[in-house]
Amino acid sequence: EIPLKYGATNDGKRQDPAMQKFRDNRLGAFIHWGLYAIPGGEWNGKVYGGAAEWLKSWAKVPADEWLKLMDQWNPTKFDAKKWAKMAKEMGAKYVKITTKHHEGFCLWPSKYSKYTVANTPYKKDVLGEMVKAYNDEGIDVHFYFSVMDWSHPDYRYSIKSEEDSIAFSRFLEFTDNQLKELATRYPTVKDFWFDGTWDASIKKNGWWTAHAEQMLKEMLPGVTINSRLRADDNGKRHFDSNGRLMGDYESGYERRLPDPVKDLKVTQWDWEACMTIPENQWGYHKDWSLSYVKTPIEVIDRIVHAVSMGGNMVVNFGPQADGDFRPEEKALATAIGKWMHRYGEAVYACDYAGFDKQDWGYYTRGKNGEVYMIVFNQPYSERLVVKTPKGISVEKAALLGTGEEMNVVETARNEYNISIPEKSPDEPYVIRLKVRAAKGTKGIYRDALT
Ligand SMILES: COc1ccc([C@@H]2N[C@@H](C)[C@@H](O)[C@H]2O)cc1
């Protein structure tokens, strides 16, 4: 054991009500909204294919020039109630909002920066309107917060001098002030998801990351904090020098997911993945033809994949500068919502089932021990193979929705064939298994001597 002052604080998964709600929510929506939505990936007549919220970097725009975009921030079509309805219809149980992205523009009227909505033609506190509208729909609100701030003269990528150190101390105090401001103005916030914490300057100040977590937890009992904020005494991030997860859930699965066979270690801790609909666009980009755009079923596959391994999934939306959403995102939210309305029982409050992954899709397990099969790939054999853990038998199988009983045929020790539905559901479907802890399996099976 390496002695640490700023290492992990949890011992295993948190089991308090706030964390259980975080976990049971399972499906979230990300909202990436900022000045970057105005140019939408184009600068001086050139369209950049990289992530639109990084356009300032791709086009090498100086901060003061970039922040002049504030003069054009006027989302006249913004209607927080409509946004909240869309999230509700999608079946998102929580929404993560970019309070401040790397650009430094604040969606709330911060008194610690001039780069806020208050100093735009629109003036209004859009963050406050969103928090109220989502909460009124029973949707939890999480705050995304970028520590790295391209608008602030005291930000440092590394600490190379006493001057750097003094400036960065001022920057950390500024950051503390903004975090306290967010926690005070919006006390219903349930989570802080930190980004922009990979630079050497932060890794050198692990103490501050531990302090920020502690400060927010004192101000907002129950609040959850992502592992990405955290660096320990030695600059180790996410997992401390003793291999223990810092923060309350692992947050490294961004636009990627753990392998259902090789990465089962992730079932030991809480984690949350996040994903984009195009290959890599978080903020609004005007041209989605530049990369592959996932279909609704490909998004649902990733949602179920995450839950099948004990994780949450946050699906990203990049609202337009005018405050409306692009048609593709509206259609996606509707499609996800339709599926979640029918099959959400296999997602919400579900977890890793402990069954070996099969080709037809994923398993999840409900709170009362029921096991769900979410079938994405129906086999030509018309038999869905289920291999149960030692001592577990399958009693019954029923199609979610119609209740149609599936045939359960035992084919070998701890192996079954489950029949497919009479009539194809024409979409990924769910079979609910009733399993039992069998007292010793029947003696009829023999392993071959080889
Ligand atoms: C250097 O690589 C990245 C990639 C993505 C990010 C940000 N994290 C995502 C959640 C988005 O906010 C993206 O801008 C930052 C740095």
Side-chain angles (χ1 to χ4, degrees):
E1 279 279 303
I2 302 165
L4 296 169
K5 284 166 52 179
Y6 309 116
T9 47
N10 290 338
D11 184 13
K13 294 182 183 181
R14 269 177 53 178
Q15 295 304 339
D16 57 288
M19 188 71 207
Q20 286 179 17
K21 179 69 168 58
F22 174 98
R23 187 182 301 127
D24 289 352
N25 281 345
R26 285 308 186 206
L27 175 60
F30 231 136
I31 293 284
H32 271 78
W33 203 30
L35 297 177
Y36 41 79
I38 296 167
E42 180 175 348
W43 198 262
N44 285 341
K46 180 175 171 10
V47 175
Y48 292 77
E53 72 286 354
W54 274 71
L55 178 62
K56 176 186 178 298
S57 178
W58 314 137
K60 298 182 174 40
V61 184
D64 53 351
E65 187 184 346
W66 179 264
L67 292 156
K68 282 204 182 77
L69 287 165
M70 283 173 56
D71 300 340
Q72 299 174 59
W73 178 265
N74 192 19
T76 49
K77 289 186 181 164
F78 174 64
D79 179 339
K81 288 192 180 65
K82 277 193 190 156
W83 286 30
K85 281 252 166 298
M86 181 176 158
K88 184 84 175 182
E89 190 201 355
M90 170 183 153
K93 298 295 184 188
Y94 65 103
V95 176
K96 303 186 93 100
I97 306 166
T98 51
T99 59
K100 181 181 83 171
H101 205 263
H102 314 328
E103 63 182 5
F105 178 62
C106 304
L107 293 190
W108 82 100
S110 174
K111 61 175 189 288
Y112 299 100
S113 167
K114 57 185 183 231
Y115 308 119
T116 84
V117 283
N119 301 325
T120 67
Y122 193 73
K123 293 193 185 352
K124 287 189 287 185
D125 172 9
V126 293
L127 184 62
E129 291 185 24
M130 282 188 236
V131 171
K132 176 167 176 17
Y134 286 126
N135 284 171
D136 285 353
E137 287 286 354
I139 293 171
D140 288 343
V141 168
H142 293 194
F143 284 166
Y144 164 110
F145 184 91
S146 176
V147 177
M148 177 175 73
D149 183 332
W150 292 333
S151 77
H152 202 289
D154 288 334
Y155 186 75
R156 293 292 183 280
Y157 293 99
S158 60
I159 308 297
K160 290 206 168 65
S161 67
E162 184 53 23
E163 193 281 331
D164 282 347
S165 188
I166 293 165
F168 201 61
S169 301
R170 284 197 302 268
F171 179 77
L172 291 177
E173 186 187 352
F174 154 76
T175 305
D176 278 350
N177 286 333
Q178 287 204 314
L179 293 175
K180 282 186 274 192
E181 189 176 43
L182 285 168
T184 307
R185 290 176 60 88
Y186 314 105
T188 62
V189 67
K190 294 289 178 284
D191 171 88
F192 279 79
W193 197 92
F194 287 91
D195 201 4
T197 51
W198 49 76
D199 285 324
S201 52
I202 309 273
K203 290 198 281 193
K204 195 178 166 71
N205 287 280
W207 69 270
W208 176 79
T209 73
H211 144 80
E213 174 179 4
Q214 191 184 347
M215 175 181 77
L216 290 168
K217 288 185 168 177
E218 281 164 10
M219 291 183 74
L220 301 165
V223 77
T224 47
I225 303 288
N226 71 327
S227 62
R228 192 177 299 197
L229 163 67
R230 299 282 279 102
D232 74 359
D233 314 46
N234 307 311
K236 281 276 287 136
R237 298 184 61 232
H238 295 273
F239 292 87
D240 69 17
S241 304
N242 295 312
R244 292 209 183 87
L245 181 68
M246 296 184 278
D248 300 305
Y249 59 97
E250 197 275 324
S251 57
Y253 288 106
E254 179 175 313
R255 296 173 43 241
R256 66 189 178 98
L257 281 171
D259 181 280
V261 175
K262 291 182 280 196
D263 298 326
L264 286 174
K265 64 182 184 303
V266 305
T267 58
Q268 296 165 60
W269 51 78
D270 282 302
W271 58 280
E272 178 195 70
C274 54
M275 63 174 286
T276 53
I277 306 310
E279 190 269 334
N280 184 11
Q281 291 297 340
W282 298 91
Y284 174 80
H285 194 292
K286 62 181 60 177
D287 186 354
W288 267 19
S289 73
L290 299 177
S291 81
Y292 183 69
V293 176
K294 298 172 193 73
T295 64
I297 287 183
E298 288 175 321
V299 174
I300 293 165
D301 184 291
R302 286 163 174 77
I303 294 167
V304 174
H305 180 156
V307 176
S308 78
M309 297 184 76
N312 285 19
M313 174 57 87
V314 186
V315 178
N316 185 70
F317 293 82
Q320 301 168 162
D322 65 1
D324 201 357
F325 289 86
R326 64 192 326 134
E328 303 95 316
E329 290 185 348
K330 287 179 179 171
L332 174 70
T334 302
I336 293 171
K338 279 206 177 87
W339 194 88
M340 291 304 291
H341 185 71
R342 282 189 207 123
Y343 303 107
E345 177 185 329
V347 172
Y348 300 125
C350 288
D351 210 322
Y352 170 59
F355 283 37
D356 290 346
K357 174 87 173 56
Q358 299 297 328
D359 293 339
W360 45 258
Y362 306 92
Y363 293 105
T364 61
R365 175 173 43 77
K367 285 234 159 93
N368 307 315
E370 64 282 18
V371 172
Y372 297 98
M373 299 166 63
I374 303 91
V375 181
F376 285 89
N377 317 302
Q378 186 166 286
Y380 287 107
S381 69
E382 300 195 343
R383 287 153 177 79
L384 302 170
V385 173
V386 170
K387 295 184 180 176
T388 59
K390 198 166 164 18
I392 301 287
S393 67
V394 177
E395 301 299 296
K396 285 175 67 175
L399 183 65
L400 229 50
T402 64
E404 177 191 347
E405 291 266 324
M406 305 287 118
N407 295 326
V408 177
V409 178
E410 188 171 347
T411 55
R413 183 194 292 129
N414 295 105
E415 292 188 25
Y416 299 81
N417 278 347
I418 309 293
S419 63
I420 60 170
E422 273 292 304
K423 187 175 147 324
S424 168
D426 276 342
E427 63 184 352
Y429 58 87
V430 176
I431 291 172
R432 180 175 47 214
L433 300 179
K434 191 172 176 315
V435 298
R436 195 168 58 81
K439 288 175 248 352
T441 43
K442 290 179 212 134
I444 58 168
Y445 299 118
R446 290 275 176 284
D447 290 334
L449 296 171
T450 55

